[in-house]
Amino acid sequence: MKKKLLFVMMIATGFFPGCDDSGYRTETVEYMINEPVFMSATAFRSKEIKTKSAQSIKEQGKICFYDGYLYISEPGTGIHIIDNRNPRQPKAAGFVELDGNTDIAVRNDRLYADSYVDLLWFNLSSPGNPEYADRLENVFEQALPPVENEYGYDYAKCFIETDRKEFIVVGWDLKKRKESYTYYYNKSELMTDYAASPTASGSSGAQGVNGSMSRFSLYKDYLYTVINNCMSIFDLSSAEPVKAVENLYVGGDVETIFSYGENMFMGTPTGMMIYSVKEPLKPEYMSRVWHVFGCDPVVVENDIAYVTVHSGNFCGQNTNELIVIDVSDVKSPAHIVTYTMKKPKGLGIDNGTLFVCDDGLKVFNATEPQKIMANQLAHYSGMDGYDVIPCNNVLMMIADDGLYQYDYSDPLKINQISKIKVGK
């Protein structure tokens, strides 16, 4: 998606044309581009990894709940450990510094986490004190740190000109470039020439519960991960995870993945994709539901999928919606209804109670999909909610300013029971 932005930026920045009598035309183009910042793989992997004392959470991130503990991935920094056995009095229990971490999953007392291109795992015999075990190197070949601006990145430097086994991309340096291109001028084909510019080149057992924004999901003995256009599958049945098969190209710039039944539901900028994992090592494409261009997560309960689409992001659109879909036939999902919202992000569903991070937190009785908006149970505002996990009648929500928890044992009397500060 960001590669496509590069061409737009070139057009917006300006062209400086020149043409001689032979019909050949030269254009000089100025544009902004993110150049990769590298770290040697040796230095990257030599850093000691261990659980440290608890630290303040500076930025919201992905969340996973397991055996009374909540694990919060602070983007690019590491994993915060919250003792949540008493959700009315949660306690910060520790912190694992882990460069390049964005996602986590837990199964059978093992915590799995990405660190740029590597997959690491930790023993959780003591859930509050993860013990580093080992890593699989270069299993996320397409992984890159997030780009925090609207410009594209230099694909060639990231993947062609540099040996990714020797160097890891750990950041970006925004640069202005000026380049000249010469081609035969034909007015009727002018826009085709621009589009062809080379710059257009520019991812069974006890287990944790992940939030809807996760790119990690579990099914039976397998961990499924999605990065950009690729799905990776890891066999977790033995003491050490094994990359079970070669990466599967799924397309769509997948952003989130959610396991339900024998299927994986994936959120992309242009819609929801469904893959069957009935044969775990041979995921099979089932169908796709298209929607307006926008970033989205998805959750499913009782064969009903709930998808949010939100604006104000790199997806570049202004639509904010909650989409409800009948997925009882995964090969032919049927749209039920679409609701306009403020700016929804993560969401969760538990026994017919739907939680949506929208203008804070909104809670709905979703047992009748056509009447969801009319059956709002609660609305807590004043924070920017990012993602939620509903579990055991406790709703855990990570927001811009805190980890909020709510008791929904009585859906008609939902109330906040605790908060841990996030940010400055």
Side-chain angles (χ1 to χ4, degrees), residues 335-405:
H335 174 264
I336 297 176
V337 64
T338 295
Y339 297 103
T340 298
M341 306 202 86
K342 292 285 187 179
K343 190 177 178 181
K345 294 180 182 176
L347 71 169
I349 181 82
D350 182 25
N351 197 30
T353 302
L354 177 68
F355 305 86
V356 184
C357 294
D358 182 50
D359 188 25
L361 172 67
K362 293 178 180 176
V363 188
F364 304 92
N365 179 342
T367 53
E368 296 181 80
Q370 297 282 7
K371 299 180 180 180
I372 288 178
M373 290 299 110
N375 290 326
Q376 181 170 304
L377 301 174
H379 180 199
Y380 293 88
S381 59
M383 78 290 278
D384 182 12
Y386 175 69
D387 204 2
V388 294
I389 294 177
C391 185
N392 299 328
N393 291 321
V394 174
L395 187 281
M396 296 159 271
M397 180 180 73
I398 189 73
D400 62 329
D401 66 340
L403 169 67
Y404 292 80
Q405 300 198 68

Side-chain angles (χ1 to χ4, degrees), residues 177-190:
R177 288 185 184 173
K178 181 184 289 188
E179 297 184 20
S180 297
Y181 302 91
T182 301
Y183 57 91
Y184 185 79
Y185 176 69
N186 183 323
K187 187 174 181 179
S188 65
E189 297 175 354
L190 187 57

